[in-house]
Amino acid sequence: QVQLVQSGAEVKKPGASVKVSCKASGNTVTSDYVHWVRQAPGQGLEWLGAIDPSGSRTYYAQKFQGRVTMTRDTSTSTVYMDLSSLTSQDTAIYYCAGEVGTVKYFQYWGQGSLVTVSS
Amino acid sequence: QSALTQPASVSGSPGQSITISCTGTSSDIGSYNHVSWYQQHPGKAPKLMLYDVSNRPSGVSDRFSGSKSGNTASLTISGLQAEDEADYYCSSFKTTDTYVFGTGTKVTVL
């Protein structure tokens, strides 16, 4: 069973960038898409985007186009999500989630990484 | 992109059945059977409960079932139990190769 382990909490100032990591333990995830989903305090889930198994193709929600970058290091089974030009509206828990093959749903999730944007 | 529409809250007594609706558009729920449902307890990561409208992953109780008609999907919980009290979110694949979540529904067991 694959587990996703995410990096720890971050506190950033407005205008800065944050990079969150998501590392797979257990079986390799070379055939899995990895998605990023966030949840602001007391709010619902919001899909940010996804990266394909090879790391060569990314899919971003229109809302985050130009501000989010997802990358992948297949040698370490680690996926990264970089979000720039942060505002207080980006304060949220950021989850990575795995999609085995192209099944179009999120089968396993990381524990979440809290990103706080505050001056 | 707008979120799928869910009722903010649904409640029921133990043993009863409840249904949560999830309304989208012809660009998401209406175009694909790639509707999934997630359960989230406070402070925890979401957990997959149903995929492709009505399929249950291994380990999920058969008290959870799903259906779809047109642009609306539904999750039904039968034989409601205290442990079912949580937030529930639907999700759909979209024609733009992206995904959208529902607004979320808080289920309360009375």
Side-chain angles (χ1 to χ4, degrees):
Chain A
Q1 179 69 29
V2 179
Q3 289 189 334
L4 298 176
V5 180
Q6 299 184 223
S7 49
E10 303 255 17
V11 179
K12 296 292 183 181
K13 293 195 180 302
S17 296
V18 68
K19 192 167 188 173
V20 182
S21 68
C22 171
K23 181 175 173 58
S25 63
N27 294 328
T28 59
V29 291
T30 55
S31 61
D32 295 354
Y33 282 72
V34 174
H35 298 255
W36 289 90
V37 175
R38 77 178 185 180
Q39 186 170 37
Q43 302 300 309
L45 302 175
E46 183 174 30
W47 185 82
L48 280 76
I51 188 166
D52 78 343
S54 69
S56 62
R57 189 164 182 188
T58 52
Y59 307 79
Y60 300 141
Q62 188 173 9
K63 175 179 177 178
F64 300 100
Q65 288 274 5
R67 208 160 67 89
V68 70
T69 303
M70 296 176 188
T71 55
R72 187 169 200 145
D73 183 343
T74 55
S75 67
T76 61
S77 293
T78 303
V79 174
Y80 301 92
M81 189 279 300
D82 198 317
L83 188 63
S84 62
S85 303
L86 293 169
T87 73
S88 60
Q89 304 297 310
D90 295 313
T91 293
I93 297 174
Y94 289 76
Y95 294 101
C96 58
E99 173 193 1
V100 178
T102 56
V103 295
K104 304 292 188 279
Y105 52 89
F106 318 118
Q107 288 157 289
Y108 53 97
W109 295 68
Q111 84 277 18
S113 299
L114 175 61
V115 174
T116 302
V117 183
S118 174
S119 55
Chain B
Q1 61 196 43
S2 298
L4 306 174
T5 301
Q6 298 180 231
S9 63
V10 174
S11 62
S13 299
Q16 287 186 329
S17 294
I18 62 169
T19 296
I20 302 169
S21 61
C22 170
T23 301
T25 69
S26 57
S27 297
D28 39 65
I29 293 177
S31 287
Y32 302 99
N33 286 327
H34 295 308
V35 178
S36 51
W37 289 88
Y38 302 86
Q39 177 192 64
Q40 186 180 36
H41 286 109
K44 301 294 187 182
K47 173 188 174 184
L48 176 68
M49 301 302 286
L50 293 176
Y51 63 92
D52 291 349
V53 177
S54 60
N55 293 288
R56 284 185 305 276
S58 174
V60 171
S61 171
D62 60 4
R63 297 185 298 103
F64 292 84
S65 61
S67 63
K68 190 189 93 167
S69 177
N71 296 338
T72 298
S74 298
L75 167 70
T76 297
I77 308 175
S78 305
L80 198 62
Q81 298 180 1
E83 67 206 51
D84 301 331
E85 186 161 294
D87 293 326
Y88 291 82
Y89 295 90
C90 57
S91 176
S92 177
F93 181 67
K94 293 173 62 71
T95 54
T96 49
D97 270 353
T98 60
Y99 292 78
V100 62
F101 280 97
T103 49
T105 299
K106 182 177 180 61
V107 169
T108 301
V109 181
L110 301 172

